[in-house]
């Protein structure tokens, strides 16, 4: 349950480092989820499904980047517009391509395969904890450390962070600020597309209207709670995945489902509050 949140959050960390809060990640994930299912259904290939989802994510992210960077629209307004568009656009496609409403499932949809780790799989406790998950679950963990390396161990990452901290100084130093921001948005689209593909081909094997269900916004909370750093953000994503799993499992004890389903969102509000307080303290210390 943490994987789509973590993947989205990694893309958000990159754009936030470039001073873009990409709340449109929710819409990117949703469109990616639909494209992944549609391509997997028509081609019989989960690989093409993932690649198409990533491509769709990049297109949507670039569209949002153009709205914000070229036409100077407020980034939050642009993000909300993308999210609302994604809900209705995928609903429209669902009805017109598959002649159904609500959800689409078919045996011809090829899911992302599960990976069994040979030796660990036989160990009683470790086998359950570490083996048998979807390929994108393991890929998500790897990409956390790849994101850390890109941001903190490469010249490109240094320039992205410099653009976010002081764009005028970056321009003076010969860095094209808008190009770097476009690049950050492209990476965000890749991560968002992967997150959407995992939702529809890994976490489930179908497309459901608005199936992201706020996970993009939870990714924003994870990013802030993690201090806009990849490793801490990943741990925050694990926490939110845990709260979602906790809410689902507590329903089996007869507790009201409405209250149990609220747990991840209550945790999100608390995390955003804590994250913003920490951010204000950091800004205050910087001014001092």
């Amino acid at each position: 349950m943490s994987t789509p949140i973590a993947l989205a959050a990694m893309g958000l960390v990159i754009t936030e480092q470039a001073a873009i809060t990409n709340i449109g990640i929710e819409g990117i994930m949703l469109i990616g989820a639909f494209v992944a299912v549609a391509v997997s259904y028509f081609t019989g290939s989960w690989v093409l499904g993932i690649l198409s989802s990533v491509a769709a994510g990049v297109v949507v992210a670039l569209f949002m980047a153009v709205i914000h960077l070229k036409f100077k629209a407020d980034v939050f307004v642009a993000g909300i517009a993308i999210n609302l568009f994604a809900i209705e656009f995928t609903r429209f496609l669902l009805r017109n391509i598959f002649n159904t409403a609500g959800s689409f499932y078919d045996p011809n949809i090829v899911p992302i395969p599960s990976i069994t780790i040979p030796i660990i799989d036989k160990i009683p406790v470790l086998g359950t904890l570490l083996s048998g998950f979807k390929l994108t679950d393991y890929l998500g963990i790897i990409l956390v450390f790849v994101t850390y390396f890109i941001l903190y161990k490469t010249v490109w990452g240094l320039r992205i962070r410099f653009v976010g901290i002081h764009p005028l100084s970056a321009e003076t130093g010969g860095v094209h600020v808008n190009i770097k921001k476009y690049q950050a948005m492209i990476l965000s689209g890749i991560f968002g597309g992967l997150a959407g593909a995992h939702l529809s081909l890994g976490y489930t094997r179908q497309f459901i209207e608005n199936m992201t269900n706020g996970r993009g916004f939870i990714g924003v909370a994870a990013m802030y709670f993690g201090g806009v750093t990849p490793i801490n953000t990943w741990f925050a994503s694990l926490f939110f995945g845990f709260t979602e799993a906790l809410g689902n499992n507590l329903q089996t004890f007869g507790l009201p489902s409405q209250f149990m389903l609220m747990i991840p969102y209550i945790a999100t509000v608390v995390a955003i509050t804590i994250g913003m307080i920490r951010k204000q303290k950091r800004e205050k210390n910087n001014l001092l």
Side-chain angles (χ1 to χ4, degrees):
M1 291 182 176
S2 301
T3 299
I5 299 172
L7 287 170
M10 289 304 108
L12 288 163
V13 165
I14 293 172
T15 55
E16 189 70 19
Q17 292 281 8
I20 300 176
T21 304
N22 181 17
I23 64 170
I25 195 74
E26 177 91 3
I28 292 172
M29 290 171 64
L30 187 58
I31 291 176
F34 178 86
V35 170
V37 159
V39 172
S40 176
Y41 170 76
F42 285 116
T43 66
S45 170
W46 61 269
V47 175
L48 290 178
I50 291 178
L51 293 176
S52 301
S53 178
V54 168
V58 170
V59 169
V60 177
L62 279 175
F63 180 65
M64 181 179 170
V66 169
I67 293 173
H68 172 55
L69 297 173
K70 184 175 181 178
F71 297 105
K72 308 303 179 184
D74 183 270
V75 66
F76 291 100
V77 175
I80 291 171
I82 291 295
N83 293 338
L84 294 176
F85 168 77
I87 293 172
E88 296 305 324
F89 183 58
T90 52
R91 185 175 293 159
F92 169 81
L93 293 177
L94 192 63
R95 284 164 169 74
N96 286 272
I97 295 177
F98 298 112
N99 297 314
T100 185
S103 63
F104 173 70
Y105 168 78
D106 192 279
N108 291 323
I109 297 173
V110 181
I112 297 169
S114 299
I115 304 296
T116 300
I117 304 175
I119 299 175
I120 295 178
D121 185 57
K122 303 299 181 182
I123 303 173
V125 178
L126 288 179
T128 304
L129 291 174
L130 302 177
S131 180
F133 293 97
K134 297 294 183 179
L135 175 64
T136 40
D137 288 313
Y138 299 107
L139 180 62
I141 297 172
I142 294 170
L143 288 176
V144 171
F145 297 96
V146 171
T147 304
Y148 174 84
F149 179 82
I150 290 173
L151 282 176
Y152 296 104
K153 303 296 180 180
T154 66
V155 174
W156 185 87
L158 175 63
R159 289 175 176 172
I160 282 289
R161 290 183 287 124
F162 196 23
V163 163
I165 295 170
H166 208 302
L168 292 178
S169 297
E171 286 279 9
T172 304
V175 178
H176 198 300
V177 170
N178 273 2
I179 287 179
K180 292 300 175 188
K181 290 189 175 185
Y182 275 114
Q183 291 171 354
M185 285 296 291
I186 288 172
L187 286 176
S188 181
I190 291 172
F191 278 107
L194 277 173
H198 176 79
L199 271 177
S200 58
L201 295 182
Y203 184 70
T204 62
R205 191 185 174 183
Q206 61 182 327
F207 178 81
I208 304 170
E209 289 184 9
N210 197 23
M211 70 184 302
T212 48
N213 198 27
R215 287 181 175 87
F217 294 108
I218 295 176
V220 175
M223 174 195 66
Y224 281 122
F225 196 45
V228 201
T229 59
I231 306 299
N232 290 342
T233 296
W234 177 45
F235 284 119
S237 301
L238 291 173
F239 166 72
F240 287 118
F242 168 75
T243 60
E244 186 176 349
L246 178 66
N248 290 341
N249 281 281
L250 286 177
Q251 293 181 57
T252 62
F253 294 96
L255 298 172
S257 61
Q258 295 86 349
F259 292 104
M260 295 306 100
L261 294 174
M262 286 171 59
I263 291 177
Y265 304 102
I266 294 172
T268 301
V269 172
V270 172
I272 288 179
T273 303
I274 294 172
M276 295 309 293
I277 291 172
R278 289 167 55 189
K279 183 180 179 181
Q280 289 175 357
K281 286 183 178 179
R282 285 196 304 269
E283 291 175 351
K284 186 178 179 180
N285 291 334
N286 290 335
L287 289 173
L288 293 175

